[in-house]
Amino acid sequence: MKVTIEDIACLANVSKATVSRVLNDRKGVGEETRQKVKKIIDEFEYNPNLLARGISTSKTKTIGIIIPDITNPFFPALVKSIEVELSAQGYTIILCNTDADIMREKRAISSCISKRVDGIIFASSQIDSSEVKFMLKRYNMPCVYVDRGSIDPDADAWVFVDNEYAAFLATNFLIQNGNRRVAYISGPPGISTSKERLSGYLAALRQNGIELDPNLIYTGDYTIRSGERAVEELLEKDSFSALFAANDVMAIGAMKALKKHGLSIPDDVEVIGFDNISICELTEPPLTTIEQPLTEIGRLVARLILDILAGKPVQDYSPRMQSRLILRESTKNRQPYGRGSNG
Amino acid sequence: MKVTIEDIACLANVSKATVSRVLNDRKGVGEETRQKVKKIIDEFEYNPNLLARGISTSKTKTIGIIIPDITNPFFPALVKSIEVELSAQGYTIILCNTDADIMREKRAISSCISKRVDGIIFASSQIDSSEVKFMLKRYNMPCVYVDRGSIDPDADAWVFVDNEYAAFLATNFLIQNGNRRVAYISGPPGISTSKERLSGYLAALRQNGIELDPNLIYTGDYTIRSGERAVEELLEKDSFSALFAANDVMAIGAMKALKKHGLSIPDDVEVIGFDNISICELTEPPLTTIEQPLTEIGRLVARLILDILAGKPVQDYSPRMQSRLILRESTKNRQPYGRGSNG
DNA sequence: CTGTTAGCGCATTCAC
DNA sequence: GTGAATGCGCTAACAG
């Protein structure tokens, strides 16, 4: 049933070594024999056993992608973009969901290690993941961090978005629009993106001489429900005329709740989200948000890992990707502002 | 750097065979030595090389998932559900996007074969994929088809939704609501789901004694844009008071276009989609749609492949999963109808 | 240009 | 209960 390199060798009247050479497009084979071997390979639809190759070359042509949840609309586009780039180079991906659970993250890593992937792309949910890093180093497994996780100076590479600046941009836009009371729905504490975006929010307040009102901050968990709950709670505590959510999913939940309370968007409350997932165009009203260049990020991440595998030096190239504000109808858009609005 | 079974054996003063036994929880090892070996394994964080194991057991504990596009909101939930079920059993998944391109499908299959996955889960875009089936058989690779593809009596198993009945349900609901002119946005020809859903639409017309008007049918490609274009074209050709789209994404595009033309939903046009992707609750108005039990489907698919791998007989168990109509505000909902409305 | 040989890391006989 | 030997399918180094 399974045909091996030996079978092909026999059928072609050559040695396994020769078959191996044509398989890997190496020189040192006469054109004639090369063709002969190729013909047999095609004829028998021979698929080399990559396990065996892997064990002997220590390369598997597969990359592990470890993310919290493919069901979070943020990730499919990222994964797709990575996969496209990688598969074009003959790589294959192993996908692991961790639900942002550190135990599952560790299991995913060791699973990838056991399968001897060539490298790992990791959207870690932990800010301090020294344990994981130790596992990685132990098997000296290349790893590029994406979207979130800790900024580790001795990590191979990371590609994050300029979360703080982006959050500043959004908040500042709302303030410049005349809103002195801007509510904020944060992501879960302990995730880097949450921290950074909160910093940006605070920076915008500070720069505009607005004092922080803790009643205006709600800590969610990046889900729709938490966006809804946020509005319920915020409305009870205090009034606000604008709302910035740390991701689109929560912003959408918030809009839902606001409408339920008879509040009109953007007239009563202006709303901005974060991510620019595809739904944003389709909500009512369409959601103003921060766009993350997902495709570009994915492509870059893929290239970084490939570069690392190719032995190219990539250290010191761990860019903050530039995000920008996409103006739609959930804000009043009185005044375009900053680099984000035109670019 | 890499620690092997031999290293562990040395350190524990036993043979590789013994280490292998405790690694695989096999009997025939004294409790004392077992503990000793386990300790060393933990201490050195030894990860067995699954390539080597795979080559010697012909089992890799990995499953290939081949789908058109993870970016299509339909698939993440399916993939997640499969992954949860599979990873609980120690399996890992390889994800391949094909863009519904037959060449890429074939490449994905042979990639999976080369990596010696234990089985494949395949959302094929082809109705006749005898070529692919031949590849599968050749390496006698277990494969369960999901969502779409051909109903092949000698396939290992398949799990599809009762597309025809579901489409009938939706169309009939619209007709019972008093709409004699129900437009239909079909999926691309050549995909089984498109064919089956079209059949359901036609069956509903027939049963209600309504003659088919070709002007009311538009063939889209499951994208937002095609939903918008559909409405533009349909409006030019003829009038209609209800619209059924073969997936939610097109339905949402259609709603967008209808609103742009000043038509109110559901007063001027009632709209029903298909899939119940998560956005449906959030559109304006929320979209009435057919729900596919994605989590359940994923779980079932995973179990089927596991059963096949375990040697359990699964033939003749290739169920049509029951879908149901979810009533929201894009339809007038005058009358609940059939099994779908209460389940 | 081509064949022979020796591993890669593990599971699996078969002896002891 | 444990160890030594063999083989899985392939690549790599060395001979010829």
Side-chain angles (χ1 to χ4, degrees), chain A residues 144-198:
Chain A
V144 359
Y145 290 83
V146 63
D147 176 48
R148 43 171 96 180
S150 56
I151 306 303
D152 178 5
D154 61 49
D156 294 316
W158 41 264
V159 180
F160 296 161
V161 114
D162 55 348
N163 286 296
E164 182 170 346
Y165 181 75
F168 171 86
L169 209 60
T171 311
N172 194 59
F173 176 83
L174 292 170
I175 295 172
Q176 297 289 321
N177 258 7
N179 302 289
R180 301 291 293 179
R181 300 189 56 75
V182 178
Y184 179 63
I185 308 181
S186 162
I191 293 186
S192 65
T193 50
S194 302
K195 278 183 84 160
E196 295 174 3
R197 289 172 197 180
L198 180 59

Side-chain angles (χ1 to χ4, degrees), chain A residues 247-317:
Chain A
N247 81 344
D248 288 336
V249 174
M250 291 193 296
I252 288 168
M255 286 209 291
K256 217 176 153 188
L258 287 170
K259 284 192 277 187
K260 208 169 77 186
H261 281 269
L263 293 167
S264 129
I265 304 164
D267 292 333
D268 298 326
V269 180
E270 297 185 65
V271 179
I272 297 185
F274 203 119
D275 284 348
N276 195 32
I277 58 183
S278 60
I279 325 172
C280 296
E281 303 182 63
L282 307 171
T283 55
E284 188 70 26
L287 182 63
T288 290
T289 190
I290 298 284
E291 176 194 53
Q292 303 210 43
L294 283 183
T295 306
E296 204 185 328
I297 292 177
R299 201 182 304 145
L300 184 56
V301 166
R303 289 195 182 152
L304 279 173
I305 199 91
L306 290 175
D307 282 352
I308 293 174
L309 294 181
K312 293 185 198 163
V314 296
Q315 43 215 12
D316 298 335
Y317 186 59

Side-chain angles (χ1 to χ4, degrees), chain A residues 5 16 20 26 46 53 55-56:
Chain A
I5 198 174
K16 297 191 296 177
S20 174
R26 286 214 216 302
Y46 164 64
R53 179 179 292 175
I55 198 184
S56 106

Side-chain angles (χ1 to χ4, degrees), chain B residues 36-334:
Chain B
K36 183 174 60 176
V37 171
K38 272 195 168 160
K39 187 151 163 276
I40 308 263
I41 287 177
D42 280 356
E43 194 171 330
F44 288 80
E45 295 187 52
Y46 164 64
N47 285 44
N49 183 328
L50 261 31
L51 297 177
R53 179 178 291 177
I55 197 184
S56 106
T57 61
S58 297
K59 263 145 197 41
T60 54
K61 287 273 194 178
T62 115
I63 301 289
I65 300 188
I66 303 176
I67 58 174
D69 184 5
I70 189 69
T71 264
N72 174 337
F74 173 85
F75 288 106
L78 183 66
V79 169
K80 177 76 180 301
S81 157
I82 293 174
E83 204 255 2
V84 165
E85 200 72 17
L86 250 29
S87 72
Q89 306 300 320
Y91 283 80
T92 239
I93 67 172
I94 286 183
L95 182 70
C96 308
N97 291 288
T98 65
D99 283 325
D101 174 37
I102 187 155
M103 287 309 293
R104 298 195 58 189
E105 284 190 350
K106 280 160 68 179
R107 245 179 291 153
I109 298 268
S110 78
S111 171
C112 284
I113 290 179
S114 277
K115 301 226 162 145
R116 297 296 189 264
V117 300
D118 293 335
I120 289 177
I121 292 169
F122 190 12
S124 168
S125 56
Q126 258 54 44
I127 285 190
D128 172 31
S129 45
S130 43
E131 220 176 336
V132 161
K133 265 169 215 151
F134 187 71
M135 296 172 68
L136 259 19
K137 285 283 169 239
R138 186 135 196 28
Y139 278 83
N140 85 39
M141 177 67 72
C143 177
V144 0
Y145 290 83
V146 64
D147 177 47
R148 43 171 97 181
S150 56
I151 306 303
D152 179 4
D154 62 47
D156 294 316
W158 40 264
V159 180
F160 295 162
V161 113
D162 53 349
N163 285 297
E164 180 169 348
Y165 181 75
F168 171 86
L169 210 61
T171 311
N172 194 60
F173 176 83
L174 291 170
I175 295 171
Q176 297 289 320
N177 258 7
N179 300 289
R180 301 291 293 178
R181 300 191 57 74
V182 178
Y184 179 64
I185 308 181
S186 162
I191 293 185
S192 64
T193 50
S194 303
K195 277 181 86 160
E196 295 172 4
R197 290 172 196 180
L198 180 59
S199 297
Y201 168 79
L202 297 175
L205 294 188
R206 210 177 312 120
Q207 168 157 334
N208 289 277
I210 299 179
E211 204 176 331
L212 167 66
D213 177 355
N215 279 339
L216 289 180
I217 296 187
Y218 178 91
T219 301
D221 59 5
Y222 286 150
T223 65
I224 285 197
R225 296 283 165 257
S226 77
E228 296 178 279
R229 253 182 265 122
V231 165
E232 302 296 343
E233 283 208 18
L234 290 169
L235 284 177
E236 272 194 12
K237 284 189 189 155
D238 222 324
S239 71
F240 53 92
S241 61
L243 174 65
F244 173 41
N247 81 344
D248 287 336
V249 173
M250 292 194 295
I252 289 169
M255 287 209 290
K256 219 177 152 186
L258 287 170
K259 285 192 276 188
K260 208 169 75 185
H261 280 269
L263 293 167
S264 130
I265 303 163
D267 293 333
D268 297 325
V269 179
E270 297 185 65
V271 179
I272 297 186
F274 203 118
D275 282 350
N276 195 31
I277 59 182
S278 61
I279 326 172
C280 296
E281 305 183 61
L282 307 170
T283 54
E284 189 70 26
L287 182 63
T288 290
T289 190
I290 296 285
E291 176 193 53
Q292 303 209 43
L294 282 184
T295 306
E296 203 184 331
I297 292 176
R299 200 181 306 145
L300 184 57
V301 167
R303 290 197 180 150
L304 279 173
I305 199 91
L306 290 175
D307 282 353
I308 293 174
L309 294 181
K312 294 184 198 162
V314 298
Q315 41 215 12
D316 297 335
Y317 187 59
S318 290
R320 282 283 178 171
M321 301 299 284
Q322 192 170 305
S323 47
R324 65 198 182 102
L325 191 58
I326 305 281
L327 298 179
R328 295 205 183 87
E329 285 127 58
S330 66
T331 47
K332 292 180 190 160
N333 304 341
R334 287 201 191 108

Side-chain angles (χ1 to χ4, degrees), chain A residues 21-216:
Chain A
R21 283 192 265 263
V22 345
L23 237 32
N24 296 292
D25 271 322
R26 286 214 216 302
K27 57 184 71 170
V29 182
E31 195 47 32
E32 237 175 300
T33 43
R34 186 181 295 271
Q35 290 311 326
K36 183 174 59 178
V37 172
K38 271 193 168 161
K39 188 152 162 275
I40 308 263
I41 287 176
D42 281 355
E43 195 170 331
F44 288 81
E45 294 188 53
Y46 164 64
N47 284 51
N49 184 329
L50 260 33
L51 297 177
R53 179 179 292 175
I55 198 184
S56 106
T57 60
S58 297
K59 262 145 197 43
T60 53
K61 287 276 196 174
T62 113
I63 302 288
I65 300 188
I66 302 177
I67 59 173
D69 184 4
I70 190 68
T71 263
N72 174 336
F74 173 86
F75 288 107
L78 183 67
V79 169
K80 176 78 182 298
S81 159
I82 294 174
E83 203 256 2
V84 165
E85 200 72 17
L86 250 30
S87 71
Q89 305 299 321
Y91 283 80
T92 240
I93 67 173
I94 285 183
L95 181 72
C96 309
N97 291 287
T98 65
D99 282 325
D101 173 37
I102 187 155
M103 288 309 294
R104 297 195 59 187
E105 284 190 351
K106 281 159 68 179
R107 244 178 291 152
I109 298 268
S110 77
S111 171
C112 283
I113 289 179
S114 278
K115 301 228 162 142
R116 297 296 188 265
V117 300
D118 294 335
I120 290 178
I121 292 170
F122 191 12
S124 166
S125 55
Q126 259 53 45
I127 284 189
D128 172 31
S129 44
S130 42
E131 219 177 338
V132 161
K133 265 169 213 150
F134 186 71
M135 295 172 69
L136 258 19
K137 285 285 169 236
R138 186 132 196 32
Y139 278 85
N140 87 39
M141 177 67 73
C143 177
V144 359
Y145 290 83
V146 63
D147 176 48
R148 43 171 96 180
S150 56
I151 306 303
D152 178 5
D154 61 49
D156 294 316
W158 41 264
V159 180
F160 296 161
V161 114
D162 55 348
N163 286 296
E164 182 170 346
Y165 181 75
F168 171 86
L169 209 60
T171 311
N172 194 59
F173 176 83
L174 292 170
I175 295 172
Q176 297 289 321
N177 258 7
N179 302 289
R180 301 291 293 179
R181 300 189 56 75
V182 178
Y184 179 63
I185 308 181
S186 162
I191 293 186
S192 65
T193 50
S194 302
K195 278 183 84 160
E196 295 174 3
R197 289 172 197 180
L198 180 59
S199 297
Y201 168 79
L202 297 174
L205 295 187
R206 207 178 313 120
Q207 167 155 333
N208 288 278
I210 300 180
E211 205 175 330
L212 167 65
D213 177 353
N215 280 338
L216 288 180

